[in-house]
Amino acid sequence: MGELGRVVVTEEQIETRVAELGTEISRDYADRRPLLVGVLKGAFVFMADLVRRIDVDVEVDFMAVSSYGAATRTSGIVRILKDLDTDLAGRHVILVEDITDSGLTLRYLRKVLLAREPATLEVCALLMREDTGARGGSVRYVGFRIPAGWVVGYGLDVDERYRHLHDIVAYEDEGSEAVGQ
Ligand code: IMP
Ligand code: MG
């Protein structure tokens, strides 16, 4: 059992940054209708806020993947638990992730989605671990870069808990020095 630690990103900081990302995406996609693909479950809160800050015509779809199970360490295996309903061929896709850590999930999803021949594919991640930036490949839109350590809240969980918190908060898992690795 672990416990909640310090606030890493406040609700106010999130609100400001999500608005900036929405503005940026609206500008970049001014003449296109992007399809935002949210990665469940972690990105559901971010998606809901982000789409409401985008003022071009936008569509949403979701897929669910699992790479950790109930652990806070990667299993090294990514599974598709729920696939998209939308045909990606010729679409301008923006993959919306809660956090990219090792980059494993992102690399896998990029490969799967590119095989469906979208016109363009970009990634928008709310959080990115500072020391692992290069491993996820290029992420076009990044909310915040955060240091090592597991975080919860604003959609992010530990074993399905704490998704409802408004802030992004450190989770200190006693007995595990390598949390988040
Ligand atoms: P990666 O495959 O190592 O890049 O891990 C990415 C996925 O692991 C994310 O989509 C999250 O679902 C999950 N994840 C990684 N770090 C955290 C964290 O600190 N809190 C909650 N979920 C995390
Ligand atoms: Mg998760």
Side-chain angles (χ1 to χ4, degrees), residues 27-96:
R27 193 191 56 216
D28 294 350
Y29 290 82
D31 54 356
R32 294 177 283 177
R33 178 153 47 98
L35 172 69
L36 267 60
V37 171
V39 184
L40 295 172
K41 300 172 197 170
F44 85 105
V45 179
F46 179 39
M47 268 288 267
D49 284 345
L50 183 64
V51 288
R52 287 177 293 174
R53 294 297 193 166
I54 293 175
D55 57 17
V56 296
D57 211 1
V58 67
E59 287 180 39
V60 301
D61 201 346
F62 291 93
M63 68 195 296
V65 300
S66 165
S67 60
Y68 284 88
T72 51
R73 288 179 208 202
T74 183
S75 62
I77 299 162
V78 179
R79 279 188 305 143
I80 294 183
L81 305 176
K82 180 219 173 287
D83 209 337
L84 298 170
D85 302 320
T86 316
D87 180 4
L88 297 190
R91 299 302 306 266
H92 295 283
V93 176
I94 305 175
L95 187 62
V96 179

Side-chain angles (χ1 to χ4, degrees), residues 121-148:
L121 175 64
E122 300 290 353
V123 177
C124 175
L126 176 67
L127 304 172
M128 185 180 247
R129 287 249 156 68
E130 263 158 9
D131 52 341
T132 58
R135 284 188 253 167
S138 62
V139 178
R140 180 97 162 77
Y141 307 98
V142 178
F144 301 91
R145 290 170 206 278
I146 60 165

